[in-house]
């Protein structure tokens, strides 16, 4: 059954350590127990059939640095873990929290960009200045995050724990010293002024003697020719050019004039990467997990499509209201087209949806919606729908029709049999099984026989299942099977509503499928016979 916990501040961690936190507790927005798992999860086998691979591709676009895909691959196995993420997502859906997270992410991106620029530079002093720039962005971003979190009405254990962690980090001796030194070096470098005196074939660099600065006048004169920063992302810094030979010499002479200051710069640069708290680096990535999804569903929400936090339990009575395929909906909304929503219910003792009806009537979309909602729920994310109660599964097993390959020596029927057998061997009572149009390549009698054998095994397994099929006869095999039908407009059977409703099958889906295959529907015959 589902468990609901009252958010409480996370246990305080030892701040400022390079490893992030004490072994007893690790501050995390994603993992409720603070145990950060190793990430060796490949894309789950069900992703392609459910179009979740397309969803993850859209979520990770532009965020490649963070390698978010493994986070969307691994689903949670306990209701406590799901609730931890749901509560964190509720906090981050508020504009204030989202803005604070975006600002922190921008600061961390500036830090990374500054550090990365050192890889493309040859002069050591220029490298050191970029490293200092990265530390400056990190210190400012961390301080701003702490200030923002302190002012927000947070409720989740995850963000309350982050607030505590960042406050403790800022108060730690190591971070106080780091921030003080970085700010001091930045200020001292800004105060350095020097004169370059050119004579004959050489030049001298001297301390500034208070003479009139002609450089400012030159900059003002040419300001109107300055190129803008069009196309920059928030937080992105334009790459500075390489120093030429003259600039390098001038910089070296300036460093000789201020040996102590540039010695402090070298010391700060030497430990710059290690000074960035590893836990905050991870938190930055975890924030992206939530922000990417929030950003992806925003256009759908703006047109009125609902998203909700489902009840997630080990119970197998599931339901959904106004549910929809999130991948299909994103495309339709982008094209300005309407999205059809559907509902579903499995009551006590019911386990299998048998979905029948005419081709292109929304049956496959219904099956995908069912699978997508369960996976998204097990990630702790809002699911597409007005209200939902979903099963916390161990795995989703799918079988969708696929095109025959020339190199594949097996027939389509043999391929179906092999794949379904492997699926049934892997499935457990805690699994979700989604079968889409199995055995459609054989005769009706053989399809009924094979389909009956598969359904009996699923019934014995007691797993949840969505079975899309033209074999209406299979409904009568067990009282655990519920019939759902994709509907058409009563006055015009050729027009699909794309709505799937719970009702007894009318026995016409197979006939309609055959008629459509051979273009023998009423509408098509009328068109062909028109003189």
């Amino acid at each position: 059954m589902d468990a609901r916990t009252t958010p409480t501040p996370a246990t305080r961690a030892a701040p400022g350590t390079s490893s992030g936190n004490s072994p007893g507790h690790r501050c995390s927005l994603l993992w409720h127990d603070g145990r950060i798992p190793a990430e060796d999860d490949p894309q789950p086998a069900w992703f392609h059939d459910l179009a979740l691979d397309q969803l993850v591709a859209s979520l990770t676009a532009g965020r490649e640095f963070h390698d978010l895909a493994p986070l969307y691959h691994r689903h949670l196995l306990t209701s406590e873990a799901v609730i931890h993420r749901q509560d964190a997502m509720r906090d981050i859906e508020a504009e204030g929290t989202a803005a604070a997270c975006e600002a922190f992410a921008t600061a961390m991106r500036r830090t990374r960009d500054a550090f990365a620029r050192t890889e493309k530079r040859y002069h050591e002093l220029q490298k050191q200045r970029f490293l200092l720039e990265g530390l400056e962005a990190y210190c400012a971003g961390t301080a701003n995050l702490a200030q923002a979190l302190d002012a927000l009405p947070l409720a989740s254990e995850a963000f309350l724990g982050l607030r505590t962690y960042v406050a403790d980090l800022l108060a730690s001796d190591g971070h106080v010293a780091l921030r003080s030194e970085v700010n001091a070096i930045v200020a001292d470098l800004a105060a350095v002024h020097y004169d370059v005196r050119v004579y004959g074939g050489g030049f001298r660099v001297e301390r500034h003697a208070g003479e009139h600065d002609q450089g400012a006048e030159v900059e003002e004169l040419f300001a109107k020719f300055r190129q803008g920063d069009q196309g920059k992302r928030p937080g992105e810094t334009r790459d500075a050019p390489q120093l030429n030979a003259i600039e390098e010499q001038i910089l070296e002479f300036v460093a000789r004039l201020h040996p102590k200051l540039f010695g402090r710069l070298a010391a700060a640069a030497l430990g710059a990467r290690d000074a960035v708290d590893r836990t905050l680096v991870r938190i930055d990535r975890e924030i992206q997990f939530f922000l990417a999804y929030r950003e992806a569903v925003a256009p759908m929400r703006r047109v009125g499509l609902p998203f909700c936090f489902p009840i997630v339990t080990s119970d197998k009575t599931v339901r959904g209201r106004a549910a929809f395929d999130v991948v299909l909906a994103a495309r339709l909304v982008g094209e300005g087209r309407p999205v059809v929503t559907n509902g579903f219910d499995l009551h006590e003792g019911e386990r299998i949806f048998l979905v029948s009806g005419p081709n292109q009537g929304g049956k496959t979309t219904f099956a995908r919606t069912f699978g997508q909602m369960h996976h998204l729920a097990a990630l702790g994310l809002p699911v597409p729908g007005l209200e939902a109660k979903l099963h916390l599964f161990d795995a989703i097993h799918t079988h969708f029709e696929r095109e025959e390959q020339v190199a594949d020596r097996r027939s389509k029927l043999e391929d179906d049999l092999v794949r379904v057998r492997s699926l049934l061997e892997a499935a457990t009572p805690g699994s979700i099984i989604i079968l889409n149009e199995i055995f459609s390549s054989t005769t009706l009698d053989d399809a009924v026989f094979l389909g009956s054998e598969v359904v009996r095994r699923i019934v014995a397994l007691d797993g949840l299942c969505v079975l899309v099929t033209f074999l209406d006869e299979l409904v009568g095999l067990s009282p655990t099977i519920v019939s759902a039908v994709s509907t058409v407009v009563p006055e015009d059977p050729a027009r699909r509503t794309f709505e799937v409703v719970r009702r007894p099958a009318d026995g016409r889906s197979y006939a309609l499928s055959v008629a459509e295959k051979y273009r023998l529907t009423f509408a098509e015959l009328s068109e062909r016979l028109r003189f």
Side-chain angles (χ1 to χ4, degrees), residues 20-41:
N21 293 280
S22 63
H25 178 84
R26 292 189 177 185
C27 175
S28 177
L29 304 181
L30 294 182
W31 311 104
H32 78 293
D33 56 4
R35 298 176 182 175
I36 316 301
E39 292 183 7
D40 53 358
D41 301 280

Side-chain angles (χ1 to χ4, degrees), residues 104 111 255 302 329 334 440:
F104 176 67
T111 298
R302 282 196 291 269
S440 59

Side-chain angles (χ1 to χ4, degrees), residues 517-531:
K517 179 177 180 180
Y518 295 102
R519 299 185 60 216
L520 296 174
T521 63
F522 177 79
E524 290 171 318
L525 286 174
S526 298
E527 180 67 25
R528 291 162 65 184
L529 294 174
R530 183 184 301 170
F531 293 100

Side-chain angles (χ1 to χ4, degrees), residues 376-397:
L376 291 173
L379 292 178
L381 296 171
V383 301
L386 194 61
E387 180 259 342
K389 178 187 175 187
L390 302 169
H391 177 61
L392 194 57
F393 59 90
D394 58 13
I396 299 176
H397 301 280

